[in-house]
Amino acid sequence: MGGNIEMIVLRHFNDNDISTLRENVLFKSSDSEIIETIKLWNTFEFNGKYFEMFAVCKDNLIVGTISLYQHDDDTIGIGPEIFYVFRKKGYASIAMKQALEYTKKKGYRIATAQIRKDNTASIKLHEKLGFVLTGETTSRRGNAVFVYLKSL
């Protein structure tokens, strides 16, 4: 394994990331649609609440994303996604630790995550990072999910 996985950097997306976003996140979007999405992400707000989207980078290469979304004054939702070819290398764990520390510094006290019941890797990741299963529900997209919480 080349390089040090500790060298994961979280940064905001910019117009230079269009092709990576089309290949991995916004599959059928035009350049202008992707640029508009990046602009929306970089307002740090969604539906009147705090929202932040990060590129997870290793050696200047985007290997995934992490989104943060405010639920209430104390609670932040966290959503990691490491792109398929970069999975099982430890990137998600390092990036999640950075994002959780960042949200703690912003004053949030609880992190929450909804994880599809069939996503064993994500369940293991969250449990390894100290998230606790607190329930189950159906996501906005209609998926059966577990709800995990972590005190920050």
Side-chain angles (χ1 to χ4, degrees):
M1 188 153 99
N4 178 356
I5 65 166
E6 298 293 329
M7 295 306 297
I8 295 294
V9 173
L10 303 183
R11 68 161 175 83
H12 297 116
F13 285 94
N14 61 59
D15 293 354
N16 296 323
D17 301 325
I18 292 171
S19 63
T20 299
L21 286 168
R22 183 178 297 108
E23 291 169 23
N24 297 285
V25 181
L26 304 169
F27 302 105
K28 295 181 180 177
S29 300
S30 68
D31 285 5
S32 61
E33 289 170 326
I34 294 171
I35 289 168
E36 285 306 306
T37 298
I38 292 168
K39 284 181 185 174
L40 282 173
W41 286 344
N42 290 338
T43 64
F44 309 128
E45 183 181 307
F46 184 74
N47 290 336
K49 293 187 176 185
Y50 163 72
F51 170 85
E52 204 161 353
M53 176 67 86
F54 293 98
V56 177
C57 300
K58 166 78 170 111
D59 299 328
N60 295 317
L61 179 67
I62 300 172
V63 299
T65 66
I66 287 193
S67 63
L68 302 174
Y69 181 68
Q70 176 186 22
H71 288 266
D72 59 41
D73 289 345
D74 292 330
T75 308
I76 190 84
I78 187 165
E81 181 186 354
I82 300 300
F83 304 148
Y84 185 77
V85 297
F86 300 110
R87 292 181 183 167
K88 298 183 181 177
K89 299 181 186 306
Y91 300 153
S93 179
I94 300 296
M96 286 276 292
K97 287 175 186 174
Q98 290 180 17
L100 291 167
E101 187 59 32
Y102 177 77
T103 58
K104 184 177 179 178
K105 287 178 181 172
K106 289 184 86 53
Y108 292 97
R109 297 184 317 142
I110 300 167
T112 184
Q114 287 189 0
I115 305 168
R116 282 199 353 237
K117 289 183 174 183
D118 62 355
N119 191 340
T120 306
S122 188
I123 290 167
K124 286 180 182 177
L125 168 68
H126 284 77
E127 289 177 350
K128 175 181 151 189
L129 294 174
F131 281 78
V132 176
L133 177 63
T134 59
E136 42 190 276
T137 188
T138 302
S139 72
R140 287 184 321 227
R141 294 183 179 141
N143 296 312
V145 295
F146 290 124
V147 177
Y148 278 82
L149 293 179
K150 174 182 173 63
S151 184
L152 297 176

